[in-house]
Amino acid sequence: MCGIAGIANGANENQISQKTLEEMISILKHRGPDECGIYKDNHAGLGHARLSIIDIKTGAQPMSNEDKSVWITFNGEIFNYPELREDLIKKGHTFKSKSDTEVVIHLYEEHGVECLQYLIGQYAFAIWDKYKKEMFLARDRLGIRPLYFTNFSGSLYFASEIKAIFTACDISREIDPKALNQIFTFWHPVSPRTAFTNIYELPPGNYLTYKNNEITIKQYWDLHYQNDMMDCSFAEASEILQEKLLESLKLQLRADVQIGYYLSGGLDSASVVALSQKLGSSNIKTFSVAFEDDEYDESSYQKILVDTLGTEHKEIRCSYEDISANFPEVIWHTEKPILRTAPAPLFLLSKLVRENNIKVVMSGDGADEVLGGYDIFKETKILEFWGKRPDSKCRPLLLKKLYPFLPAYQSQSKEYREAFFKKALDGSSDRFVSHRARWDMISKVKLLFSERIKSVINGESPEMDLSNMTPREFSNWKPINRAQYLELKYLLPEYILSSQGDRVAMAHAVECRFPFLDHRVVEFCARIPLHYKIKGLNEKYILKRLMKEYLPKKIIKRAKKPYLAPDSRSFFSNNKVPEYIYESLSEKNIKKYDYFKYKSVSHLVNKCMNKGVVGFKDNMAMVGILSTQILHKHFCDEFPRSGNVINNINVMR
Amino acid sequence: MEQKENTRDKIYNFIIENYLFGDTDTELKDDESLLAKGIVDSTGILELVLYVEKTFNIKVKDEDMIPDNLDSINQIVRYINDSPHR
């Protein structure tokens, strides 16, 4: 796991600057503190900050093939590299290291861009083909590892994080109002759009080629649902799922360093630990977030698991102050506005992991998307069921079963609940029906936008990009399959794996691995009958059945509780509100940055400070405003253009 | 009559301030459904009930917490005025 960066000249005749490459890699040093390297020739340059996990001695990068005509800078892991290596050796390739990175070079020599079909893993990399004068960038299927790029002044610039691109060129640093329109609807920009104008993300499952100053992007993987599911019994499906999960884990346990485990207190992360033990892992170290605020704390469940699984356990006990004190640094890493504070505790957790000398952690993330764990899937299922008999008195009673972890939802009357969801019944022809209520609610926060932002996004639907990106047959899928697709292809990579995953873990040079996101597991789960995943309203049923023999009943039986952290409470519940909050939300800065209406912001701040009833929308608005203001300050206002260059950067020749 | 005006304004202002971040540009008619307009979401109703109870010194019974009583400014005002607990 590492940080990568690079430049390729297309229409630009200037020499690639070594200093620029050094600056790009220096600002990514947090991702790879073990060693740094660059390579450059007359047309291209690559940079690499390394976190050494596999082949610690000889895996330095950028790395080349035998005749130095193909160079690579690689971030991530190819879990099936030993098998691929063996095949390539049989085909006559010679290896000078034992790293997974070198496997990608030879696989590229053998298959060109088709090499991606053979890879199982989480990766983002760039290959410079000197003879073809072509730069080839690729990103893993599910979007676990990040990759950003821009075409500026006749050159391609790319990096694991946007800050490295801003360091390298004079491109304007502006937050894109259209991205704000999307973030304040979906919680994330729709890839390839990012929070910044003219900076793009390579979408998951896509590759990019750059030649003669022309960028071509192609998709090499997508997820497909079919309305006719696989014909297999529950017992068969369980057996195959177990095999696939164990195979995924077996590959992901490959590392030359010790692996740690995140333990949330829920089923998914516990399953990863238990299945690893089944594969023979012992002396397991687990790490958890606990909260001082009881509403969010899950430490009682974490304790049950630690006692049952017998792990060596460490936790951080997160207070409101911890979240507010670290929030600005978290935004430096997320590089986009966020509407929830949940990334902050995970930022602190990765710090704890690193302090315990662990570089790699296993996470249960992805299971809810793959196996139907979230309440939004149950909500879709109930609405479909109710929609078949809209006059039924009994069917809408099921709505009460949703969101048991939200006291405000639970305490409203049956009539209100039904009236609210009745709207969705009327919109059953809507292709995004499953997410309509959620998006409508989030969108209300846009009332706070300034006139400047409103005038730019006026009449533009945030859904336009999304509609263009979904597969042609999307509208023919069942609503629940569409819901799963939206969660897996968008919210997962753009928010969960990014702001709560890669960014906050790599801030402390910790690599997360996701056994549920092996693409073979994901593809299999997309094909099994829905009622194996959600039986009635029992979520992740097939996984619960599978894990029954390994995990305590209390964990199997507990209702799904998504990971949440205290939002506006974190900023205003203390006696001492940090100075940066006043500064970010001051009349001067709100008006200067001009994203939000000051009158509305001050109104909201008063409401939060007076500790009145602060609802969902208020919380999202508060965190969204604060993070946008901080993002602007970090990247548009006070960006350190001539950053420090670190020492000891190896120059590869 | 004066009392009714007063109640209506209080409710109107509460809705603007509490659900619309003080945004008076949003057109809100007295007989418009707050649910249909997306102003009150599935959990927002509690904020309204707490406000009504505190400001008008009435107790909103669980069975009264239905859209027929509370889904527009007119309905809320009528509910408050008809409330025997005042």
Side-chain angles (χ1 to χ4, degrees):
Chain A
M1 271 301 298
C2 314
I4 63 171
I7 308 168
N9 283 343
N12 184 348
E13 294 297 319
N14 294 335
Q15 282 283 314
I16 303 274
S17 148
Q18 179 166 332
K19 184 163 176 283
T20 303
L21 286 171
E22 287 174 348
E23 282 174 346
M24 285 179 98
I25 219 60
S26 296
I27 205 166
L28 298 178
K29 177 80 180 169
H30 54 272
R31 297 183 69 90
D34 295 337
E35 59 184 326
C36 287
I38 57 167
Y39 160 81
K40 79 175 195 86
D41 59 33
N42 289 338
H43 302 284
L46 302 174
H48 191 262
R50 182 172 188 220
L51 178 65
S52 39
I53 289 168
I54 288 174
D55 188 18
I56 292 162
K57 282 189 186 145
T58 57
Q61 293 189 47
M63 194 181 270
S64 71
N65 64 347
E66 297 93 329
D67 69 359
K68 298 187 188 293
S69 61
V70 177
W71 284 83
I72 188 169
T73 180
F74 180 91
N75 165 213
E77 308 293 340
I78 305 298
F79 295 122
N80 61 335
Y81 77 97
E83 292 79 9
L84 293 171
R85 191 172 190 270
E86 213 170 293
D87 283 351
L88 287 161
I89 289 172
K90 278 183 200 153
K91 285 181 176 149
H93 291 267
T94 353
F95 283 79
K96 57 187 172 197
S97 78
K98 290 196 172 105
S99 73
D100 54 344
T101 303
E102 200 182 354
V103 167
V104 183
I105 303 177
H106 294 293
L107 206 61
Y108 172 79
E109 286 185 302
E110 194 68 30
H111 303 285
V113 296
E114 293 300 315
C115 67
L116 298 168
Q117 304 299 336
Y118 298 85
L119 303 179
I120 297 172
Q122 46 187 52
Y123 47 82
F125 63 82
I127 288 179
W128 170 238
D129 193 322
K130 237 170 130 175
Y131 292 150
K132 280 166 82 179
K133 286 204 182 130
E134 184 176 274
M135 190 68 87
F136 164 49
L137 308 184
R139 194 163 171 226
D140 63 70
R141 296 171 181 85
L142 275 304
I144 298 169
R145 303 275 74 100
L147 194 52
Y148 299 94
F149 67 92
T150 192
N151 187 350
F152 178 71
S153 200
S155 299
L156 175 79
Y157 293 83
F158 62 88
S160 302
E161 295 183 20
I162 294 169
K163 49 182 77 71
I165 298 174
F166 283 156
T167 304
C169 62
D170 285 324
I171 195 164
S172 60
R173 300 186 307 276
E174 290 167 19
I175 295 180
D176 178 2
K178 292 178 184 177
L180 288 181
N181 194 17
Q182 292 177 342
I183 293 166
F184 284 81
T185 306
F186 312 126
W187 285 350
H188 57 79
V190 177
S191 178
R193 195 182 289 283
T194 68
F196 296 99
T197 313
N198 297 324
I199 303 285
Y200 304 97
E201 181 188 66
L202 183 59
N206 278 250
Y207 68 88
L208 175 159
T209 49
Y210 177 77
K211 194 175 175 162
N212 300 329
N213 202 32
E214 256 185 46
I215 290 176
T216 310
I217 296 177
K218 283 196 177 143
Q219 187 181 53
Y220 70 92
W221 186 85
D222 200 4
L223 188 60
H224 293 280
Y225 287 92
Q226 281 155 359
N227 289 338
D228 296 325
M229 291 297 180
M230 200 166 121
D231 184 19
C232 65
S233 71
F234 184 80
E236 284 165 345
S238 294
E239 206 184 312
I240 301 173
L241 179 63
Q242 167 152 269
E243 263 171 37
K244 289 198 183 284
L245 277 177
L246 287 173
E247 169 67 11
S248 163
L249 250 175
K250 202 176 86 192
L251 296 192
Q252 297 205 16
L253 284 167
R254 288 173 171 169
D256 295 338
V257 295
Q258 191 184 0
I259 291 177
Y261 292 76
Y262 280 165
L263 198 66
S264 70
L267 173 70
D268 312 333
S269 52
S271 300
V272 174
V273 175
L275 291 175
S276 295
Q277 288 176 329
K278 184 179 161 70
L279 285 170
S281 300
S282 55
N283 302 325
I284 283 182
K285 288 188 177 176
T286 48
F287 299 88
S288 294
V289 174
F291 287 101
E292 283 187 355
D293 186 333
D294 288 343
E295 196 181 323
Y296 301 91
D297 186 52
E298 296 191 54
S299 50
S300 61
Y301 290 105
Q302 291 156 3
K303 189 172 179 323
I304 293 172
L305 282 165
V306 169
D307 292 345
T308 315
L309 299 166
T311 65
E312 188 188 326
H313 189 66
K314 296 250 162 54
E315 66 172 33
I316 50 154
R317 199 155 194 86
C318 197
S319 66
Y320 299 140
E321 289 84 351
D322 290 331
I323 292 174
S324 62
N326 287 283
F327 196 68
E329 203 180 338
V330 168
I331 301 303
W332 170 252
H333 290 285
T334 63
E335 298 187 324
K336 62 181 100 164
I338 50 176
L339 271 59
R340 305 171 70 175
T341 58
L346 292 166
F347 171 78
L348 295 167
L349 186 62
S350 70
K351 191 171 170 209
L352 175 76
V353 168
R354 192 63 201 197
E355 283 164 1
N356 281 272
N357 296 318
I358 300 279
K359 290 178 177 180
V360 180
V361 280
M362 292 283 183
S363 156
D365 279 353
D368 285 317
E369 288 79 359
V370 171
L371 289 163
Y374 291 130
D375 276 59
I376 198 160
F377 302 132
K378 291 197 241 177
E379 183 183 317
T380 310
K381 208 174 163 184
I382 295 171
L383 290 177
E384 209 182 348
F385 179 62
W386 182 17
K388 286 179 186 158
R389 296 255 179 81
D391 298 330
S392 164
K393 294 272 175 274
C394 299
R395 294 186 179 206
L397 293 178
L398 291 168
L399 293 165
K400 169 90 175 153
K401 302 247 181 211
L402 296 171
Y403 307 104
F405 48 90
L406 296 178
Y409 178 87
Q410 285 302 315
S411 52
Q412 67 179 327
S413 70
K414 150 178 146 335
E415 287 79 4
Y416 252 98
R417 215 162 16 234
E418 289 179 23
F420 177 72
F421 285 110
K422 192 97 186 170
K423 282 199 304 174
L425 279 195
D426 300 337
S428 51
S429 60
D430 177 355
R431 63 205 304 256
F432 300 128
V433 61
S434 59
H435 284 62
R436 184 60 57 203
R438 182 198 280 179
W439 292 349
D440 279 354
M441 181 180 70
I442 304 172
S443 291
K444 287 288 164 212
V445 178
K446 286 187 250 183
L447 283 168
L448 287 142
F449 280 170
S450 67
E451 290 309 316
R452 175 178 77 93
I453 299 298
K454 279 184 186 165
S455 68
V456 179
I457 63 171
N458 185 25
E460 283 219 17
S461 163
E463 284 163 33
M464 187 75 90
D465 289 348
L466 207 56
S467 297
N468 294 339
M469 298 294 285
T470 46
R472 204 175 304 153
E473 67 273 22
F474 178 84
S475 300
N476 299 331
W477 295 343
K478 285 182 180 165
I480 191 141
N481 290 337
R482 280 183 261 155
Q484 271 198 282
Y485 185 89
L486 290 175
E487 291 287 307
L488 253 162
K489 290 279 294 184
Y490 293 99
L491 194 66
L492 179 72
E494 306 295 339
Y495 172 71
I496 293 177
L497 295 175
S498 171
S499 299
Q500 289 186 188
D502 176 86
R503 299 326 186 70
V504 287
M506 289 308 283
H508 296 114
V510 172
E511 169 185 306
C512 288
R513 294 185 179 182
F514 307 94
F516 286 102
L517 292 177
D518 180 313
H519 71 277
R520 298 164 304 170
V521 174
V522 176
E523 284 170 350
F524 173 72
C525 292
R527 285 168 49 224
I528 57 175
L530 178 67
H531 61 279
Y532 294 176
K533 289 183 269 190
I534 310 174
K535 187 176 185 218
L537 293 178
N538 191 355
E539 77 281 357
K540 291 184 285 194
Y541 179 69
I542 190 166
L543 184 65
K544 286 178 182 169
R545 281 286 297 267
L546 206 61
M547 296 313 297
K548 221 167 73 176
E549 61 174 300
Y550 306 105
L551 296 174
K553 222 183 215 168
K554 269 196 170 166
I555 301 296
I556 300 282
K557 295 255 176 208
R558 73 177 289 214
K560 166 74 196 166
K561 183 176 185 287
Y563 164 65
L564 298 167
D567 290 310
S568 61
R569 232 182 274 176
S570 301
F571 302 110
F572 297 108
S573 286
N574 318 322
N575 293 329
K576 200 169 167 244
V577 176
E579 191 50 41
Y580 81 84
I581 295 178
Y582 290 122
E583 190 201 311
S584 303
L585 303 175
S586 70
E587 183 169 2
K588 186 180 140 223
N589 282 332
I590 293 284
K591 288 186 171 167
K592 185 176 156 200
Y593 296 171
D594 202 12
Y595 299 110
F596 304 101
K597 254 189 293 198
Y598 177 67
K599 193 179 151 215
S600 300
V601 173
S602 88
H603 185 85
L604 179 66
V605 171
N606 283 336
K607 190 175 175 186
C608 293
M609 287 189 93
N610 293 334
K611 302 182 179 70
V613 182
V614 178
F616 281 147
K617 271 186 298 197
D618 300 322
N619 273 317
M620 285 192 290
M622 194 67 249
V623 181
I625 293 166
L626 195 54
S627 58
T628 307
Q629 292 289 109
I630 293 169
L631 187 77
H632 184 99
K633 187 181 178 203
H634 281 336
F635 289 91
C636 307
D637 223 12
E638 299 177 359
F639 188 75
R641 255 315 296 278
S642 51
N644 293 329
V645 170
I646 49 171
N647 297 323
N648 305 325
I649 297 180
N650 304 316
V651 180
M652 307 294 182
R653 292 180 207 283
Chain B
M1 192 61 202
E2 197 189 18
Q3 177 72 33
K4 192 182 171 191
E5 282 292 315
N6 199 11
T7 304
R8 183 260 168 210
D9 289 349
K10 278 184 185 165
I11 295 297
Y12 175 83
N13 288 334
F14 172 77
I15 290 168
I16 295 286
E17 301 273 305
N18 198 64
Y19 298 116
L20 299 170
F21 307 106
D23 181 274
T24 44
D25 298 344
T26 305
E27 201 189 331
L28 178 61
K29 294 190 192 118
D30 286 9
D31 59 353
E32 260 182 316
S33 159
L34 300 174
L35 272 166
K37 218 164 178 236
I39 291 171
V40 174
D41 58 47
S42 66
T43 59
I45 190 62
L46 284 189
E47 295 169 53
L48 177 68
V49 169
L50 286 174
Y51 173 79
V52 166
E53 288 189 334
K54 199 172 146 200
T55 313
F56 301 98
N57 196 27
I58 57 173
K59 175 95 186 87
V60 179
K61 287 187 275 178
D62 284 355
E63 60 265 33
D64 287 351
M65 248 191 265
I66 55 173
D68 282 352
N69 288 332
L70 303 165
D71 194 35
S72 70
I73 294 174
N74 281 344
Q75 284 169 330
I76 300 165
V77 171
R78 198 178 312 129
Y79 177 76
I80 293 166
N81 287 336
D82 291 351
S83 175
H85 305 285
R86 299 195 73 194

